[in-house]
Amino acid sequence: GIGKCVAMDLARRNARTILACRSRERGQAAVEEIRAATGNPAVVLRLLDTGSLASVRAFASAVLREEPRLDVLVNNAGVTGLPFAITSEGLEQTFATNYLGPFLLTNLLLG
C-alpha cells in the first residue's frame, strides 16, 4: 500500500526508516523486502497499534528514547468497515485507530 511505498522511497534515499506495524509477521516481511530492494540495512520494525493509546504511548516513548532525531512522520495506517467495537480503553475502535491514536502519536513526538 501507500505506507510501504513511502517507506521504500525513504529507504532508497538512505533514510533510517521505522515501520510501525500492528503485525510482527507482516511488518518483518515488509522490512526484509524493503532492505533487499534498497540495500538499506537501516529499516527497522517497531510494533504499534494506533487503536490502543497505551501502545501509542509506549511506541512514542521508545522512539524518543532510542532515536537521536525524527525528521518525518507519516501517519498512514487506518481501518474501515470494522463492526462497532469498544477498545479496552473505552473508545470506539475505528475512531481510536484512525484519529485519536495518530493525533496522540504526533503530539507525543513533537519537540
XYZ file of all heavy atoms in Angstrom:
824
model
N 0.805 -1.187 0.000
C 0.000 0.000 0.000
C 0.858 1.264 0.000
O 2.074 1.223 -0.223
N 0.223 2.366 0.250
C 0.889 3.666 0.231
C 2.016 3.725 1.263
O 3.105 4.217 0.987
C -0.130 4.797 0.464
C -1.076 4.897 -0.724
C 0.576 6.126 0.688
C -2.251 5.820 -0.499
N 1.756 3.239 2.461
C 2.774 3.295 3.514
C 4.037 2.547 3.147
O 5.152 3.020 3.374
N 3.869 1.380 2.555
C 5.028 0.590 2.149
C 5.792 1.289 1.030
O 7.020 1.293 1.018
C 4.582 -0.797 1.725
C 5.708 -1.760 1.477
C 5.116 -3.136 1.321
C 6.018 -4.075 0.616
N 5.358 -5.341 0.320
N 5.067 1.917 0.114
C 5.719 2.667 -0.975
C 6.497 3.856 -0.432
O 7.620 4.130 -0.876
C 4.696 3.136 -1.992
S 4.026 1.802 -2.999
N 5.932 4.551 0.534
C 6.626 5.692 1.153
C 7.871 5.195 1.880
O 8.955 5.783 1.753
C 5.698 6.461 2.109
C 6.468 7.480 2.935
C 4.581 7.147 1.335
N 7.737 4.109 2.632
C 8.888 3.553 3.344
C 9.978 3.126 2.366
O 11.171 3.359 2.606
C 8.446 2.368 4.201
N 9.584 2.524 1.260
C 10.541 2.100 0.233
C 11.290 3.315 -0.312
O 12.519 3.292 -0.463
C 9.816 1.366 -0.893
C 10.708 0.798 -1.958
S 11.457 -0.785 -1.535
C 10.055 -1.896 -1.622
N 10.567 4.387 -0.607
C 11.199 5.587 -1.149
C 12.153 6.215 -0.132
O 13.266 6.621 -0.485
C 10.139 6.601 -1.586
C 10.762 7.775 -2.314
O 11.375 7.558 -3.384
O 10.673 8.906 -1.797
N 11.746 6.289 1.115
C 12.631 6.845 2.146
C 13.892 5.993 2.296
O 15.000 6.530 2.417
C 11.891 6.956 3.481
C 10.795 8.007 3.540
C 9.973 7.849 4.820
C 11.386 9.409 3.457
N 13.725 4.679 2.285
C 14.874 3.782 2.392
C 15.803 3.939 1.199
O 17.032 3.904 1.347
C 14.409 2.337 2.546
N 15.238 4.120 0.006
C 16.069 4.347 -1.188
C 16.895 5.623 -1.061
O 17.958 5.742 -1.644
C 15.193 4.439 -2.437
C 14.800 3.121 -2.991
C 14.269 3.225 -4.418
N 13.903 1.897 -4.866
C 12.654 1.458 -4.971
N 11.646 2.249 -4.699
N 12.421 0.229 -5.372
N 16.380 6.578 -0.305
C 17.093 7.839 -0.076
C 18.071 7.719 1.100
O 18.591 8.701 1.588
C 16.096 8.956 0.179
C 15.214 9.261 -1.007
C 14.066 10.171 -0.611
N 13.099 10.272 -1.673
C 12.950 11.343 -2.437
N 13.709 12.399 -2.252
N 12.035 11.353 -3.376
N 18.276 6.481 1.554
C 19.210 6.151 2.624
C 18.766 6.667 3.988
O 19.581 6.890 4.875
C 20.625 6.630 2.290
C 21.665 5.780 2.994
O 21.463 4.585 3.167
N 22.745 6.393 3.407
N 17.478 6.864 4.170
C 16.960 7.302 5.463
C 16.818 6.105 6.401
O 16.453 5.010 5.965
C 15.600 7.966 5.288
N 17.102 6.325 7.673
C 16.732 5.331 8.674
C 15.211 5.337 8.701
O 14.587 6.383 8.889
C 17.310 5.698 10.038
C 16.893 4.741 11.127
C 17.683 4.968 12.404
N 17.132 4.256 13.520
C 17.245 2.950 13.741
N 17.934 2.208 12.886
N 16.701 2.389 14.797
N 14.618 4.186 8.498
C 13.172 4.103 8.305
C 12.579 3.133 9.321
O 12.985 1.975 9.385
C 12.856 3.633 6.871
O 13.522 4.510 5.950
C 11.378 3.643 6.600
N 11.637 3.621 10.097
C 10.965 2.800 11.103
C 9.575 2.457 10.586
O 8.769 3.350 10.337
C 10.848 3.545 12.443
C 12.221 3.939 12.961
C 10.096 2.688 13.460
C 12.179 4.892 14.139
N 9.293 1.172 10.424
C 7.953 0.728 10.069
C 7.212 0.440 11.362
O 7.647 -0.396 12.162
C 8.001 -0.538 9.213
C 8.184 -0.348 7.713
C 9.507 0.306 7.397
C 8.032 -1.649 7.002
N 6.146 1.150 11.597
C 5.320 0.963 12.788
C 4.118 0.123 12.377
O 3.237 0.596 11.673
C 4.880 2.312 13.332
N 4.103 -1.136 12.809
C 3.099 -2.088 12.326
C 2.418 -2.800 13.490
O 3.034 -3.034 14.524
C 3.759 -3.136 11.436
S 4.645 -2.456 10.024
N 1.164 -3.175 13.269
C 0.437 -3.972 14.268
C 0.902 -5.426 14.242
O 0.974 -6.076 15.280
C -1.071 -3.948 13.985
C -1.777 -2.723 14.441
C -3.294 -2.878 14.315
N -3.711 -3.328 13.010
C -4.179 -2.540 12.057
N -4.302 -1.261 12.255
N -4.543 -3.037 10.893
N 1.180 -5.948 13.067
C 1.529 -7.358 12.907
C 3.038 -7.524 12.784
O 3.645 -7.006 11.843
C 0.853 -7.916 11.649
O 1.417 -9.157 11.296
N 3.602 -8.289 13.706
C 5.044 -8.557 13.649
C 5.408 -9.306 12.367
O 6.387 -8.973 11.707
C 5.495 -9.353 14.871
C 6.994 -9.632 14.899
C 7.435 -10.408 16.121
N 7.067 -9.789 17.368
C 7.755 -8.809 17.970
N 8.835 -8.336 17.405
N 7.354 -8.314 19.127
N 4.612 -10.291 11.998
C 4.925 -11.122 10.837
C 4.880 -10.309 9.539
O 5.815 -10.352 8.737
C 3.959 -12.307 10.750
C 4.096 -13.296 11.893
C 3.466 -12.819 13.211
O 2.550 -11.950 13.183
O 3.903 -13.276 14.266
N 3.800 -9.590 9.308
C 3.684 -8.796 8.074
C 4.685 -7.656 8.073
O 5.267 -7.322 7.036
C 2.267 -8.269 7.907
C 1.277 -9.369 7.565
C -0.075 -8.816 7.243
N -0.432 -7.742 8.160
C -1.645 -7.446 8.559
N -2.655 -8.124 8.104
N -1.874 -6.472 9.392
N 4.906 -7.054 9.236
C 5.872 -5.958 9.334
C 7.281 -6.427 9.035
O 8.025 -5.772 8.302
N 7.666 -7.570 9.580
C 9.014 -8.083 9.338
C 9.202 -8.457 7.878
O 10.268 -8.226 7.303
C 9.321 -9.275 10.246
C 10.777 -9.675 10.235
C 11.708 -8.545 10.665
O 11.455 -7.836 11.638
N 12.787 -8.345 9.924
N 8.155 -8.997 7.266
C 8.231 -9.315 5.828
C 8.439 -8.041 5.017
O 9.243 -8.019 4.078
C 6.966 -10.037 5.384
N 7.759 -6.966 5.381
C 7.928 -5.688 4.679
C 9.330 -5.135 4.894
O 9.963 -4.634 3.956
C 6.880 -4.682 5.147
N 9.848 -5.231 6.111
C 11.212 -4.772 6.397
C 12.210 -5.509 5.517
O 13.081 -4.893 4.882
C 11.557 -4.963 7.894
C 13.059 -4.855 8.131
C 10.809 -3.954 8.755
N 12.093 -6.821 5.458
C 13.031 -7.617 4.665
C 12.927 -7.286 3.176
O 13.945 -7.181 2.488
C 12.799 -9.101 4.936
C 13.218 -9.488 6.353
C 12.772 -10.868 6.775
O 12.388 -11.680 5.897
O 12.802 -11.146 7.988
N 11.715 -7.094 2.690
C 11.524 -6.737 1.283
C 12.146 -5.371 0.980
O 12.832 -5.208 -0.034
C 10.033 -6.703 0.952
C 9.749 -6.340 -0.480
C 8.258 -6.259 -0.785
O 7.439 -6.830 -0.045
O 7.922 -5.587 -1.787
N 11.937 -4.409 1.852
C 12.477 -3.058 1.636
C 13.999 -3.064 1.724
O 14.678 -2.447 0.902
C 11.850 -2.059 2.619
C 10.358 -1.891 2.304
C 12.569 -0.718 2.585
C 9.570 -1.157 3.378
N 14.543 -3.774 2.699
C 16.007 -3.875 2.800
C 16.604 -4.488 1.541
O 17.607 -4.012 1.023
C 16.395 -4.725 4.013
C 16.265 -4.037 5.345
C 16.647 -5.002 6.449
N 16.502 -4.411 7.762
C 16.537 -5.116 8.890
N 16.712 -6.436 8.847
N 16.397 -4.500 10.042
N 15.987 -5.575 1.054
C 16.501 -6.262 -0.136
C 16.406 -5.368 -1.373
O 17.327 -5.339 -2.189
C 15.741 -7.562 -0.359
N 15.317 -4.637 -1.496
C 15.108 -3.813 -2.685
C 15.976 -2.561 -2.698
O 16.336 -2.066 -3.764
C 13.639 -3.404 -2.787
N 16.314 -2.064 -1.504
C 17.038 -0.788 -1.433
C 18.489 -0.927 -1.020
O 19.272 0.006 -1.195
C 16.357 0.164 -0.433
O 16.466 -0.384 0.897
C 14.904 0.408 -0.803
N 18.851 -2.041 -0.422
C 20.205 -2.196 0.106
C 20.430 -1.397 1.379
O 21.557 -1.289 1.844
N 19.371 -0.860 1.955
C 19.474 -0.053 3.171
C 19.208 -0.944 4.389
O 18.087 -1.395 4.594
C 18.461 1.089 3.119
C 18.548 2.027 4.303
O 19.149 1.707 5.323
N 17.935 3.191 4.176
N 20.239 -1.188 5.214
C 20.032 -2.026 6.391
C 19.340 -1.288 7.543
O 18.935 -1.910 8.522
C 21.459 -2.418 6.793
C 22.287 -1.259 6.339
C 21.632 -0.758 5.072
N 19.174 0.024 7.420
C 18.603 0.834 8.499
C 17.087 0.954 8.376
O 16.497 2.013 8.562
C 19.253 2.210 8.517
N 16.452 -0.158 8.051
C 14.992 -0.243 8.023
C 14.619 -1.177 9.166
O 15.080 -2.325 9.209
C 14.480 -0.791 6.676
C 12.957 -0.905 6.678
C 14.953 0.094 5.529
N 13.828 -0.679 10.111
C 13.536 -1.448 11.316
C 12.033 -1.507 11.562
O 11.275 -0.654 11.102
C 14.258 -0.866 12.554
C 15.762 -0.943 12.389
C 13.823 0.566 12.820
N 11.641 -2.500 12.314
C 10.244 -2.707 12.680
C 10.044 -2.347 14.140
O 10.834 -2.745 15.000
C 9.862 -4.176 12.453
C 8.481 -4.598 12.950
C 7.381 -3.889 12.162
C 8.329 -6.104 12.863
N 8.976 -1.619 14.408
C 8.524 -1.361 15.771
C 7.031 -1.633 15.781
O 6.323 -1.235 14.854
C 8.784 0.089 16.210
C 10.232 0.485 16.240
C 10.964 -0.164 17.417
N 12.352 0.254 17.455
C 13.357 -0.411 16.938
N 13.151 -1.548 16.308
N 14.594 0.016 17.037
N 6.554 -2.304 16.796
C 5.138 -2.631 16.875
C 4.347 -1.447 17.396
O 4.768 -0.768 18.342
C 4.923 -3.854 17.753
C 5.557 -5.136 17.222
C 5.283 -6.290 18.161
C 5.074 -5.453 15.817
N 3.201 -1.202 16.757
C 2.322 -0.095 17.136
C 0.906 -0.421 16.720
O 0.660 -0.795 15.567
C 2.774 1.209 16.452
C 1.827 2.399 16.575
C 1.668 2.828 18.032
C 2.300 3.555 15.719
N -0.011 -0.251 17.641
C -1.441 -0.355 17.360
C -2.046 0.997 17.699
O -2.193 1.330 18.877
C -2.071 -1.460 18.202
C -3.571 -1.573 18.014
O -4.148 -0.796 17.217
O -4.182 -2.431 18.679
N -2.358 1.794 16.690
C -2.883 3.134 16.956
C -4.273 3.103 17.580
O -4.748 4.132 18.055
C -2.916 4.010 15.683
O -3.713 3.377 14.692
C -1.514 4.277 15.167
N -4.915 1.947 17.616
C -6.193 1.810 18.298
C -6.048 1.681 19.803
O -7.031 1.723 20.536
N -4.827 1.548 20.277
C -4.536 1.436 21.708
C -3.673 2.613 22.128
O -2.524 2.736 21.697
C -3.788 0.125 21.985
O -3.162 0.168 23.248
N -4.225 3.483 22.954
C -3.442 4.645 23.388
C -2.237 4.218 24.219
O -1.195 4.883 24.185
C -4.331 5.631 24.145
C -5.522 6.183 23.344
C -6.252 7.260 24.146
C -5.107 6.699 21.985
N -2.345 3.093 24.919
C -1.190 2.563 25.660
C -0.082 2.169 24.689
O 1.102 2.443 24.941
C -1.609 1.382 26.529
N -0.445 1.548 23.578
C 0.540 1.177 22.564
C 1.177 2.421 21.950
O 2.392 2.458 21.729
C -0.120 0.321 21.471
O 0.782 0.032 20.425
N 0.373 3.432 21.685
C 0.892 4.684 21.135
C 1.885 5.310 22.094
O 2.976 5.740 21.698
C -0.263 5.666 20.821
C 0.271 7.040 20.469
C -1.131 5.120 19.702
N 1.540 5.357 23.371
C 2.447 5.953 24.375
C 3.753 5.166 24.480
O 4.833 5.743 24.554
C 1.759 6.040 25.731
C 0.650 7.069 25.789
C 0.000 7.140 27.183
N -1.209 7.904 27.163
C -1.281 9.226 27.085
N -0.179 9.932 27.023
N -2.447 9.841 27.082
N 3.663 3.846 24.469
C 4.871 3.018 24.561
C 5.748 3.199 23.326
O 6.979 3.320 23.443
C 4.483 1.544 24.721
N 5.131 3.230 22.149
C 5.886 3.426 20.912
C 6.585 4.780 20.924
O 7.780 4.876 20.634
C 4.939 3.322 19.706
C 5.599 3.616 18.393
C 6.254 2.622 17.690
C 5.562 4.892 17.855
C 6.868 2.895 16.477
C 6.169 5.178 16.636
C 6.826 4.181 15.944
N 5.861 5.841 21.243
C 6.439 7.187 21.255
C 7.567 7.282 22.271
O 8.623 7.867 21.987
C 5.364 8.228 21.555
N 7.383 6.696 23.420
C 8.422 6.714 24.446
C 9.691 6.025 23.958
O 10.803 6.530 24.147
C 7.904 6.027 25.712
O 8.900 5.970 26.698
N 9.530 4.878 23.296
C 10.691 4.150 22.777
C 11.393 4.947 21.685
O 12.624 5.022 21.659
C 10.261 2.779 22.250
N 10.633 5.547 20.784
C 11.240 6.340 19.707
C 12.012 7.522 20.298
O 13.156 7.785 19.906
C 10.175 6.825 18.698
C 10.742 7.892 17.769
C 9.648 5.648 17.887
N 11.413 8.215 21.242
C 12.094 9.368 21.840
C 13.350 8.950 22.609
O 14.334 9.696 22.643
C 11.131 10.125 22.755
C 9.983 10.834 22.043
C 8.978 11.376 23.054
C 10.501 11.949 21.136
N 13.316 7.778 23.193
C 14.463 7.274 23.957
C 15.571 6.749 23.042
O 16.756 6.960 23.306
C 13.977 6.174 24.905
C 15.018 5.611 25.833
C 14.459 4.557 26.791
N 13.839 3.426 26.105
C 12.518 3.208 26.047
N 11.674 4.030 26.632
N 12.043 2.150 25.406
N 15.193 6.080 21.949
C 16.161 5.359 21.124
C 16.675 6.131 19.916
O 17.760 5.828 19.419
C 15.529 4.054 20.632
C 15.169 3.102 21.752
C 14.290 1.942 21.302
O 14.032 1.814 20.077
O 13.844 1.168 22.168
N 15.909 7.070 19.425
C 16.284 7.760 18.190
C 16.832 9.153 18.490
O 16.215 9.894 19.242
C 15.079 7.882 17.247
C 14.465 6.556 16.850
C 15.404 5.664 16.058
O 16.263 6.194 15.315
O 15.288 4.429 16.181
N 17.979 9.512 17.909
C 18.543 10.842 18.166
C 17.721 11.973 17.561
O 17.765 13.097 18.043
C 19.931 10.779 17.535
C 19.874 9.645 16.557
C 18.834 8.696 17.063
N 16.959 11.663 16.502
C 16.113 12.682 15.884
C 15.034 12.016 15.044
O 15.163 10.863 14.651
C 16.930 13.653 15.049
C 17.683 12.991 13.919
C 18.657 13.894 13.257
N 18.054 14.483 12.064
C 18.735 15.137 11.156
N 20.023 15.326 11.312
N 18.145 15.618 10.109
N 14.005 12.784 14.768
C 12.914 12.327 13.919
C 12.618 13.457 12.945
O 12.266 14.563 13.360
C 11.675 12.008 14.762
C 10.426 11.567 14.008
C 10.659 10.224 13.324
C 9.249 11.479 14.957
N 12.806 13.193 11.674
C 12.628 14.231 10.660
C 11.271 14.182 9.985
O 10.744 15.218 9.587
C 13.726 14.122 9.596
C 15.100 14.388 10.171
O 15.271 15.408 10.848
O 16.003 13.558 9.951
N 10.722 13.000 9.804
C 9.475 12.843 9.064
C 8.598 11.831 9.795
O 9.078 10.780 10.212
C 9.738 12.342 7.618
C 8.436 12.095 6.874
C 10.615 13.321 6.857
N 7.319 12.152 9.912
C 6.336 11.211 10.443
C 5.234 11.088 9.404
O 4.651 12.091 8.988
C 5.752 11.718 11.772
C 4.606 10.906 12.356
C 5.075 9.499 12.736
C 4.021 11.619 13.566
N 4.959 9.860 8.992
C 3.888 9.615 8.031
C 2.795 8.832 8.756
O 2.988 7.666 9.086
C 4.400 8.818 6.808
C 3.255 8.531 5.845
C 5.533 9.559 6.114
N 1.689 9.498 9.034
C 0.530 8.832 9.636
C -0.325 8.300 8.503
O -1.128 9.015 7.923
C -0.274 9.817 10.490
C 0.358 10.065 11.825
O 0.853 9.147 12.466
N 0.344 11.299 12.272
N -0.150 7.018 8.193
C -0.794 6.443 7.026
C -1.813 5.363 7.366
O -2.781 5.190 6.645
C 0.300 5.854 6.116
C -0.276 5.176 4.914
O -0.844 5.818 4.057
N -0.157 3.859 4.872
N -1.618 4.656 8.425
C -2.448 3.488 8.716
C -3.863 3.892 9.113
O -4.096 4.957 9.668
C -1.809 2.668 9.825
N -4.780 3.025 8.817
C -6.163 3.257 9.200
C -6.990 2.027 8.916
O -6.547 1.095 8.248
N -8.205 2.033 9.428
C -9.115 0.915 9.219
C -10.459 1.449 8.746
O -10.801 2.612 8.974
C -9.308 0.084 10.513
C -8.014 -0.589 10.925
C -9.847 0.938 11.642
N -11.205 0.581 8.103
C -12.553 0.926 7.661
C -13.399 -0.339 7.641
O -12.859 -1.450 7.507
C -12.538 1.591 6.272
O -13.861 2.020 5.958
C -12.047 0.654 5.197
N -14.675 -0.167 7.803
C -15.594 -1.286 7.693
C -15.592 -2.256 8.854
O -16.131 -3.351 8.740
N -14.994 -1.867 9.970
C -14.997 -2.757 11.133
C -16.367 -2.732 11.802
O -17.039 -1.701 11.806
C -13.953 -2.308 12.155
C -12.488 -2.340 11.731
C -11.612 -1.817 12.865
C -12.072 -3.742 11.350
N -16.764 -3.840 12.396
C -18.001 -3.804 13.179
C -17.793 -2.910 14.408
O -16.654 -2.731 14.871
C -18.215 -5.262 13.587
C -16.894 -5.919 13.432
C -16.136 -5.150 12.384
N -18.869 -2.345 14.916
C -18.769 -1.484 16.084
C -18.134 -2.258 17.229
O -18.524 -3.374 17.546
C -20.160 -0.990 16.504
C -20.115 -0.098 17.708
C -19.825 1.247 17.580
C -20.340 -0.609 18.976
C -19.780 2.072 18.688
C -20.290 0.202 20.096
C -20.012 1.554 19.951
N -17.116 -1.637 17.836
C -16.443 -2.258 18.980
C -15.857 -1.159 19.851
O -15.494 -0.082 19.362
C -15.349 -3.203 18.513
N -15.741 -1.449 21.102
C -15.143 -0.534 22.075
C -13.797 -1.114 22.495
O -13.694 -2.309 22.796
C -16.054 -0.360 23.311
C -17.420 0.197 22.905
C -15.398 0.512 24.371
C -17.376 1.599 22.336
N -12.763 -0.274 22.515
C -11.434 -0.728 22.927
C -11.405 -0.937 24.431
O -12.310 -0.510 25.157
C -10.356 0.301 22.550
O -10.526 1.469 23.349
C -10.417 0.655 21.068
N -10.338 -1.538 24.913
C -10.187 -1.745 26.356
C -10.087 -0.424 27.108
O -10.288 -0.371 28.314
C -8.959 -2.608 26.638
O -7.792 -1.944 26.187
N -9.812 0.655 26.364
C -9.721 1.984 26.980
C -11.039 2.756 26.900
O -11.108 3.925 27.260
C -8.589 2.775 26.309
C -7.237 2.120 26.554
C -6.166 2.536 25.565
O -6.438 2.538 24.352
O -5.053 2.849 26.021
N -12.092 2.080 26.402
C -13.419 2.668 26.364
C -13.690 3.566 25.168
O -14.624 4.355 25.189
N -12.914 3.416 24.096
C -13.063 4.245 22.901
C -13.616 3.408 21.753
O -13.343 2.205 21.670
C -11.705 4.824 22.502
C -10.984 5.619 23.590
C -9.543 5.870 23.196
C -11.717 6.914 23.870
N -14.369 4.051 20.853
C -14.847 3.343 19.671
C -13.627 3.002 18.818
O -12.776 3.846 18.564
C -15.855 4.216 18.907
C -16.644 3.450 17.860
C -15.881 3.230 16.572
O -15.194 4.167 16.127
O -15.960 2.128 16.004
N -13.519 1.772 18.388
C -12.303 1.231 17.769
C -11.864 1.988 16.516
O -10.685 2.331 16.370
C -12.509 -0.241 17.443
C -11.287 -0.912 16.867
C -11.506 -2.388 16.626
O -12.625 -2.892 16.718
N -10.446 -3.092 16.327
N -12.752 2.237 15.590
C -12.369 2.913 14.349
C -11.907 4.335 14.628
O -10.890 4.790 14.079
C -13.535 2.911 13.340
O -13.903 1.558 13.071
C -13.157 3.604 12.047
N -12.621 5.058 15.486
C -12.249 6.426 15.836
C -10.897 6.458 16.537
O -10.035 7.301 16.243
C -13.342 7.044 16.717
C -13.127 8.481 17.067
C -12.992 9.456 16.084
C -13.081 8.889 18.393
C -12.811 10.786 16.400
C -12.898 10.219 18.718
C -12.765 11.173 17.731
N -10.665 5.515 17.438
C -9.385 5.448 18.146
C -8.243 5.162 17.173
O -7.186 5.808 17.232
C -9.436 4.381 19.235
N -8.452 4.206 16.271
C -7.402 3.786 15.341
C -7.080 4.854 14.306
O -5.912 5.107 14.005
C -7.827 2.485 14.627
O -8.060 1.479 15.617
C -6.773 2.017 13.654
N -8.100 5.480 13.755
C -7.900 6.410 12.644
C -7.620 7.844 13.070
O -7.017 8.587 12.294
C -9.119 6.396 11.724
C -9.289 5.076 11.004
O -8.424 4.215 11.035
N -10.420 4.909 10.373
N -8.062 8.238 14.238
C -7.950 9.648 14.626
C -7.227 9.870 15.949
O -6.233 10.590 15.993
C -9.344 10.301 14.684
C -10.017 10.272 13.349
C -10.957 9.295 13.049
C -9.679 11.185 12.359
C -11.564 9.241 11.804
C -10.277 11.134 11.108
C -11.214 10.166 10.843
O -11.793 10.111 9.602
N -7.741 9.256 17.012
C -7.164 9.541 18.328
C -5.726 9.047 18.456
O -4.862 9.772 18.957
C -8.034 8.934 19.429
C -9.463 9.470 19.500
C -10.255 8.737 20.576
C -9.469 10.971 19.739
N -5.456 7.833 17.995
C -4.098 7.280 18.075
C -3.090 8.105 17.288
O -2.054 8.505 17.837
N -3.344 8.399 16.009
C -2.396 9.222 15.253
C -2.234 10.635 15.824
O -1.138 11.176 15.824
C -3.001 9.254 13.841
C -3.785 7.990 13.747
C -4.353 7.783 15.125
N -3.320 11.212 16.327
C -3.238 12.544 16.939
C -2.337 12.510 18.166
O -1.450 13.356 18.333
C -4.641 13.043 17.307
C -4.641 14.394 17.955
C -4.583 15.544 17.179
C -4.717 14.523 19.329
C -4.583 16.804 17.775
C -4.718 15.765 19.931
C -4.648 16.917 19.149
N -2.554 11.521 19.025
C -1.721 11.393 20.219
C -0.265 11.132 19.832
O 0.643 11.761 20.393
C -2.245 10.256 21.111
C -1.436 9.974 22.376
C -1.392 11.198 23.284
C -1.991 8.761 23.095
N -0.040 10.253 18.881
C 1.324 9.932 18.457
C 2.049 11.193 17.969
O 3.175 11.464 18.381
C 1.308 8.879 17.361
C 2.668 8.485 16.795
C 3.554 7.875 17.869
C 2.494 7.537 15.620
N 1.393 11.937 17.101
C 2.002 13.157 16.567
C 2.365 14.113 17.698
O 3.477 14.641 17.743
C 1.041 13.840 15.581
O 0.785 12.943 14.495
C 1.632 15.130 15.034
N 1.456 14.304 18.614
C 1.713 15.242 19.711
C 2.791 14.757 20.660
O 3.586 15.566 21.153
C 0.407 15.552 20.459
C -0.403 16.572 19.702
O -0.179 17.766 19.825
N -1.318 16.107 18.872
N 2.861 13.459 20.909
C 3.922 12.938 21.772
C 5.295 13.048 21.137
O 6.296 13.183 21.839
C 3.630 11.475 22.134
C 2.445 11.241 23.052
C 2.167 9.739 23.187
C 2.668 11.875 24.425
N 5.357 12.993 19.800
C 6.655 13.029 19.122
C 7.118 14.449 18.773
O 8.257 14.635 18.359
C 6.600 12.189 17.842
C 6.436 10.684 18.075
C 6.303 9.959 16.734
C 7.595 10.116 18.881
N 6.254 15.433 18.955
C 6.671 16.819 18.684
C 7.765 17.237 19.659
O 7.739 16.862 20.830
C 5.468 17.758 18.818
C 4.461 17.703 17.681
C 3.241 18.570 18.031
C 5.078 18.144 16.375
N 8.700 18.038 19.178
C 9.806 18.506 20.031
C 9.339 19.482 21.089
O 8.251 19.992 21.061
